[in-house]
Short mmCIF file of all heavy atoms in Angstrom, two decimals:
data_model
loop_
_atom_site.label_atom_id
_atom_site.label_comp_id
_atom_site.label_asym_id
_atom_site.label_seq_id
_atom_site.Cartn_x
_atom_site.Cartn_y
_atom_site.Cartn_z
N GLY C 330 64.23 90.77 117.03
CA GLY C 330 64.94 89.88 116.12
C GLY C 330 64.27 88.53 115.96
O GLY C 330 64.55 87.81 115.01
N ILE C 331 63.39 88.21 116.88
CA ILE C 331 62.67 86.95 116.74
C ILE C 331 61.77 87.00 115.50
O ILE C 331 61.71 86.08 114.72
CB ILE C 331 61.85 86.67 118.01
CG1 ILE C 331 62.81 86.31 119.15
CG2 ILE C 331 60.84 85.55 117.79
CD1 ILE C 331 62.16 86.14 120.48
N PHE C 332 61.11 88.15 115.31
CA PHE C 332 60.10 88.23 114.25
C PHE C 332 60.57 88.92 112.99
O PHE C 332 59.97 88.77 111.95
CB PHE C 332 58.87 89.00 114.76
CG PHE C 332 58.26 88.37 115.95
CD1 PHE C 332 58.41 88.93 117.20
CD2 PHE C 332 57.54 87.19 115.82
CE1 PHE C 332 57.84 88.33 118.31
CE2 PHE C 332 56.97 86.60 116.92
CZ PHE C 332 57.13 87.17 118.17
N ILE C 333 61.57 89.78 113.12
CA ILE C 333 61.88 90.65 111.99
C ILE C 333 63.21 90.26 111.39
O ILE C 333 64.15 89.91 112.10
CB ILE C 333 61.87 92.12 112.44
CG1 ILE C 333 60.46 92.48 112.88
CG2 ILE C 333 62.30 93.04 111.32
CD1 ILE C 333 60.27 93.92 113.19
N LEU C 370 72.28 87.60 116.11
CA LEU C 370 71.34 86.86 116.94
C LEU C 370 70.00 86.70 116.23
O LEU C 370 69.38 85.63 116.27
CB LEU C 370 71.16 87.57 118.29
CG LEU C 370 72.18 87.19 119.37
CD1 LEU C 370 72.20 88.21 120.49
CD2 LEU C 370 71.86 85.80 119.92
N ALA C 371 69.55 87.78 115.60
CA ALA C 371 68.26 87.73 114.91
C ALA C 371 68.28 86.69 113.79
O ALA C 371 67.26 86.05 113.52
CB ALA C 371 67.92 89.11 114.34
N ILE C 372 69.45 86.52 113.17
CA ILE C 372 69.55 85.61 112.04
C ILE C 372 69.47 84.15 112.47
O ILE C 372 69.10 83.28 111.69
CB ILE C 372 70.86 85.90 111.26
CG1 ILE C 372 70.70 87.23 110.51
CG2 ILE C 372 71.22 84.79 110.29
CD1 ILE C 372 71.99 87.86 110.11
N SER C 374 67.68 83.29 115.41
CA SER C 374 66.58 83.07 116.36
C SER C 374 65.31 82.74 115.60
O SER C 374 64.89 83.47 114.72
CB SER C 374 66.40 84.30 117.25
OG SER C 374 66.06 85.42 116.47
N PRO C 375 64.69 81.58 115.89
CA PRO C 375 63.47 81.19 115.20
C PRO C 375 62.30 82.07 115.64
O PRO C 375 62.38 82.63 116.72
CB PRO C 375 63.26 79.74 115.66
CG PRO C 375 64.01 79.62 116.94
CD PRO C 375 65.14 80.59 116.87
N VAL C 377 61.85 83.60 112.43
CA VAL C 377 62.42 84.29 111.28
C VAL C 377 63.93 84.32 111.43
O VAL C 377 64.49 85.23 112.01
CB VAL C 377 61.87 85.72 111.15
CG1 VAL C 377 62.42 86.39 109.89
CG2 VAL C 377 60.36 85.72 111.11
N GLY C 378 64.61 83.29 110.96
CA GLY C 378 66.06 83.24 111.06
C GLY C 378 66.56 82.36 109.94
O GLY C 378 66.62 81.15 110.05
NA1 NA D 502 64.98 85.83 114.10
#
Side-chain angles (χ1 to χ4, degrees):
Chain C
I331 289 175
F332 301 106
I333 296 187
L370 273 163
I372 287 160
S374 61
V377 183

